[in-house]
Amino acid sequence: MKTQDMNRDWIATARTLSQALPYMQRYTGATVVIKLGGHAMGSDEAMESFANDVVLMRQVGVNPVIVHGGGPMINDMLNRLEIKSDFVNGKRVTDAATMEVVEMVLSGVVNKRIVQAINRAGGKAVGLSGKDANLITCDQTDPALGLVGTPARMDSTILSTLFDRAMIPVIAPLGAGQNGETFNINGDTAAGAIASALKADRLLLLTDVSGVKNATGEVVTELTADQIRALTADGTIAGGMIPKTETALDAIANGVRAVVILDGRAPNACLLELFTDHGAGSIIRPR
């Protein structure tokens, strides 16, 4: 005969699950695009935790879409292959040799690592790039930067098909050009374009910072598009946060309900953001 005491931690877990019910109901059938990068990709433990969160989201009826980066892995492979890069205004020039490495790393090593992690957690993940099924067609961003693209046309048919089969798309930020070129796309930009094409309920941008900060360094948990513009104009939002907030503004202008810039270092950050009243970063809404 086995006996068991009611542990306070177990009771707290049950209470947390019960409190999450309204949020789970709220997001049933919703599309959530997640840009994965930074710390969440940096270790096997973090990747396993992220994969578990994504599978739970799918289990309760959310349609998650993962868009990933891979800059450090690309840099490492270029160094190993002794491929030297040129830079224009601090940005890497993506020539044909570099593009081969970019596609190999993003569509191969990085994409399949995420797919395998989700599948091990019990999900059904499918690895894609923006080149598949004409998902992302690009224009060249700047001839001086080489094969760097800006999304120009989107066809999300393949994603809707995967949703109908309860599968989780994992997308490498690459796109096709009009003349058969392959273009490298900034990961945040690609995630924003995909979220816009899907009219997603949420775009979650995982970062290695705790969110958008005000002039005194405090994280602002809720902002409007106008407040983001004002903080950028006065220099409070600067550096690497600018591309993320620009992505957020573009996505909101194109029909995404809200964008959250959140700390991917926090355990279960996506679940905290979606299924609790606490949240895990800075949510940006149209107004």
Side-chain angles (χ1 to χ4, degrees):
M1 180 180 296
K2 184 177 180 181
T3 62
Q4 180 170 279
D5 293 328
M6 289 299 290
N7 185 291
R8 287 185 179 180
D9 289 341
W10 302 339
I11 295 171
T13 298
R15 183 180 298 114
T16 299
L17 290 171
S18 177
Q19 292 171 345
L21 177 60
Y23 299 96
M24 292 178 179
Q25 293 170 327
R26 151 79 177 80
Y27 283 103
T28 297
T31 298
V32 176
V33 177
I34 305 169
K35 162 59 194 329
L36 176 63
H39 178 81
M41 295 177 63
S43 70
D44 291 340
E45 182 180 3
M47 182 65 72
E48 181 181 359
S49 176
F50 174 79
N52 287 336
D53 290 356
V54 169
V55 172
L56 190 152
M57 291 164 60
R58 177 57 261 182
Q59 191 69 36
V60 299
V62 177
N63 292 315
V65 180
I66 316 305
V67 183
H68 62 83
M73 297 79 162
I74 292 169
N75 292 339
D76 180 62
M77 184 59 71
L78 289 171
N79 290 333
R80 287 165 60 185
L81 296 175
E82 299 182 351
I83 296 175
K84 297 186 181 300
S85 298
D86 294 323
F87 291 84
V88 173
N89 296 325
K91 298 179 179 179
R92 186 194 304 277
V93 177
T94 304
D95 58 16
T98 301
M99 190 67 243
E100 287 186 14
V101 174
V102 169
E103 186 164 22
M104 175 179 67
V105 172
L106 290 180
S107 284
V109 177
V110 177
N111 188 274
K112 299 315 172 192
R113 179 184 174 218
I114 300 167
V115 167
Q116 286 179 313
I118 293 172
N119 290 343
R120 280 198 306 271
K124 294 182 179 179
V126 177
L128 305 167
S129 80
K131 293 169 64 176
D132 290 303
N134 298 316
L135 176 58
I136 307 177
T137 303
C138 288
D139 292 334
Q140 188 175 34
T141 302
D142 180 350
L145 296 176
L147 295 169
V148 176
T150 299
R153 285 165 298 285
M154 307 292 297
D155 184 345
S156 60
T157 304
I158 183 64
L159 302 182
S160 299
T161 300
L162 294 174
F163 294 158
D164 290 342
R165 289 160 175 76
M167 294 185 179
I168 301 169
V170 179
I171 304 169
L174 303 168
Q178 293 291 334
N179 300 310
E181 314 97 320
T182 298
F183 284 113
N184 185 20
I185 311 169
N186 173 275
D188 290 338
T189 302
I194 290 167
S196 296
L198 293 169
K199 297 294 185 284
D201 194 274
R202 287 288 185 275
L203 169 60
L204 307 183
L205 301 175
L206 298 185
T207 72
D208 282 346
V209 297
S210 50
V212 179
K213 297 180 180 179
N214 61 20
T216 62
E218 298 173 309
V219 174
V220 184
T221 56
E222 294 189 23
L223 302 108
T224 65
D226 286 344
Q227 288 171 328
I228 288 290
R229 295 186 188 98
L231 289 172
T232 303
D234 69 16
T236 300
I237 293 176
M241 185 57 70
I242 290 178
K244 295 187 182 300
T245 53
E246 287 179 344
T247 293
L249 294 179
D250 287 343
I252 287 170
N254 285 295
V256 176
R257 284 193 60 186
V259 180
V260 186
I261 299 173
L262 67 162
D263 192 346
R265 300 168 299 179
N268 311 113
C270 294
L271 300 187
L272 283 171
E273 179 56 43
L274 295 179
F275 300 140
T276 75
D277 60 5
H278 178 269
S282 302
I283 188 166
I284 303 165
R285 304 180 192 271
R287 58 181 63 85

